[in-house]
Amino acid sequence: MAEKIIMMADARAPALAVPDTLETPNGLLADALGRPLHDLRISVTDRCNFRCVYCMPKEVFDKDYAYLPHSALLNFEEIAHVARLFVAHGVEKIRLTGGEPLLRKNLERLIEQLRAIETPSGRALDLTLTTNGSLLARKAQTLKDAGLDRVTVSLDAIDDAVFKRMNDVDFAVADVLAGIDAAHAAGLGPIKVNMVVKGGMNDDQILPMARHFKGTPAILRFIEYMDVGASNGWNMTEVVPSSEVVRRISAEMPLEPILANYAGETAARWRYVDGGGEVGMISSVTQAFCRDCSRIRLSTEGKLYTCLFATRGHDLRELLRGGRTDDEMLTAIARLWRARDDRYSETRTVNTAGLSQRAENAQKIEMSYIGG
């Protein structure tokens, strides 16, 4: 069995340092490379009911795997408190992730609390959620009623056998599609469907997926298989470049590039020439977009991570539960973001065997722990 390398309580995550001189946020916070703080991704659980081979492989996350104890998790009031701090610093978009976020009991209560938060100028937040879709059919309407704006659904194949091989828990495509339909009916759109493409495993699903979602309200996005964490056995030889995805689709259903919706958008946009909608390409391996990254991540136990490929976090929970004032926490967050210079995807190097050469790769935090 593979070594269990996931850090449940990141011992290397020191508490955020609180400077002696406190400051008042002005909503304009830039990191060391001039990138603004705009997006907060909140992991609400480290648990998932899928065992996707690129994220939570069964040989690591087996029946004996020890998840975080409930007492370690931030409660909904704490999460909302943290969210208000980040909104004061300029965050306008919050995405709930996991694990599988819909496994968190009474998640609608958190959504209601986040929905009540406004930006300093009085605008509503862009409040979204990423899910594997397994519970979406039964929860879509209550999520919308609670105030959620949109959902992104992970779906790695349209063929049932391939999809079951990817999720490794025998979950059927039809049930995810039912969740997508329910989300559309509830008004949780535009719905985005994310497909992680792993060469030799599901790349034969590129065209079938494109055919299925062409002409529908959903926007299909193809994600290059990434070296997130250290448990998925990543190898560059299994990465199907986005350029190849575009080539395959365009050979049958011609595509043309279109402009991004906003600065820092992760997916390059393409539309069908015949007007059948659009697809997106997320190319963090072959066409890194670090220079526009405006995201910070909050783990379910209150650690902050300034990059998806981070090797350590920064403990905000200690300040939150230690009686620190909002001004102290706001200043600590500002100091962390200003020092941020992460650009892992731009500096990644790969050896002749297709493996990333960075020594710290074995220490990278797993995606299931901090969200995608």
Side-chain angles (χ1 to χ4, degrees), residues 54 131-132 153-158 163 172-173 176-177 180 193-196 202 209 212-213 220-221:
Y54 56 82
T131 173
N132 63 26
V153 181
S154 299
L155 180 62
D156 296 322
I158 202 67
F163 181 58
V173 170
V176 178
L177 295 179
I180 293 172
V193 177
N194 284 352
M195 175 185 175
V196 173
N202 70 331
M209 286 282 285
H212 181 87
F213 287 103
L220 177 61
R221 305 194 302 178

Side-chain angles (χ1 to χ4, degrees), residues 79-281:
I79 293 173
H81 189 170
V82 171
R84 284 191 290 271
L85 299 177
F86 276 95
V87 170
H89 273 313
V91 162
E92 297 180 352
K93 177 180 178 180
I94 293 178
R95 178 176 296 279
L96 300 179
T97 68
E100 169 47 48
L102 297 186
L103 291 178
R104 182 76 184 256
K105 188 176 180 180
N106 299 319
L107 185 66
E108 292 84 356
R109 280 181 37 221
L110 173 61
I111 293 171
E112 289 173 349
Q113 293 180 43
L114 296 175
R115 182 75 286 160
I117 301 172
E118 294 182 338
T119 68
S121 63
R123 289 183 289 108
L125 298 174
D126 183 8
L127 187 53
T128 71
L129 178 145
T130 296
T131 173
N132 63 26
S134 60
L135 301 173
L136 190 55
R138 73 181 77 165
K139 285 183 168 283
Q141 190 60 57
T142 59
L143 293 171
K144 180 65 177 179
D145 293 344
L148 190 69
D149 290 320
R150 299 179 287 108
V151 292
T152 296
V153 181
S154 299
L155 180 62
D156 296 322
I158 202 67
D159 178 86
D160 212 44
V162 178
F163 181 58
K164 289 179 177 179
R165 187 165 70 244
M166 293 293 289
N167 66 57
D168 207 16
V169 291
D170 207 37
F171 199 86
V173 170
D175 293 328
V176 178
L177 295 179
I180 293 172
D181 289 342
H184 178 66
L188 290 170
I191 297 166
K192 295 174 181 176
V193 177
N194 284 352
M195 175 185 175
V196 173
V197 181
K198 185 176 181 181
M201 177 160 275
N202 70 331
D203 59 309
D204 63 343
Q205 293 295 292
I206 293 171
L207 278 172
M209 286 282 285
R211 293 182 192 119
H212 181 87
F213 287 103
K214 184 174 183 285
T216 73
I219 299 172
L220 177 61
R221 305 194 302 178
F222 298 90
I223 303 176
E224 291 179 342
Y225 175 42
M226 293 181 288
D227 53 330
V228 179
S231 68
N232 65 4
W234 183 88
N235 192 297
M236 183 67 187
T237 62
E238 296 174 316
V239 175
V240 179
S242 292
S243 58
E244 171 62 13
V245 177
V246 170
R247 187 196 66 77
R248 292 190 196 183
I249 296 173
S250 204
E252 178 180 317
M253 298 167 281
L255 295 168
E256 60 184 5
I258 54 178
L259 295 175
N261 286 307
Y262 55 88
E265 187 172 20
T266 57
R269 300 173 64 208
W270 296 76
R271 67 183 172 200
Y272 293 105
V273 173
D274 66 5
E278 70 174 82
V279 295
M281 303 292 159

Side-chain angles (χ1 to χ4, degrees), residues 62-83:
D62 60 15
K63 62 182 178 61
D64 297 321
Y65 186 76
Y67 293 96
L68 287 167
H70 186 74
S71 61
L73 310 187
L74 295 184
N75 62 41
F76 292 160
E77 289 70 28
E78 289 173 322
I79 293 173
H81 189 170
V82 171

Side-chain angles (χ1 to χ4, degrees), residues 26 43 61 89 95 133 144 183 280 282 287 289 295 335 367:
N26 61 8
S43 174
F61 297 86
H89 273 313
R95 178 176 296 279
K144 180 65 177 179
I282 299 177
Q287 300 173 47
F289 41 81
R295 291 172 290 283
R335 179 175 178 175
M367 182 163 61

Side-chain angles (χ1 to χ4, degrees), residues 284-296:
S284 69
V285 177
T286 64
Q287 300 173 47
F289 41 81
C290 300
R291 65 179 60 86
D292 294 319
C293 181
S294 59
R295 291 172 290 283
I296 195 166

Side-chain angles (χ1 to χ4, degrees), residues 339-359:
R340 174 187 187 245
D341 60 1
D342 305 278
R343 53 189 191 97
Y344 174 85
S345 290
E346 289 184 347
T347 60
R348 175 196 290 108
T349 56
V350 178
N351 65 23
T352 56
L355 303 175
S356 183
Q357 292 184 288
R358 282 194 168 186

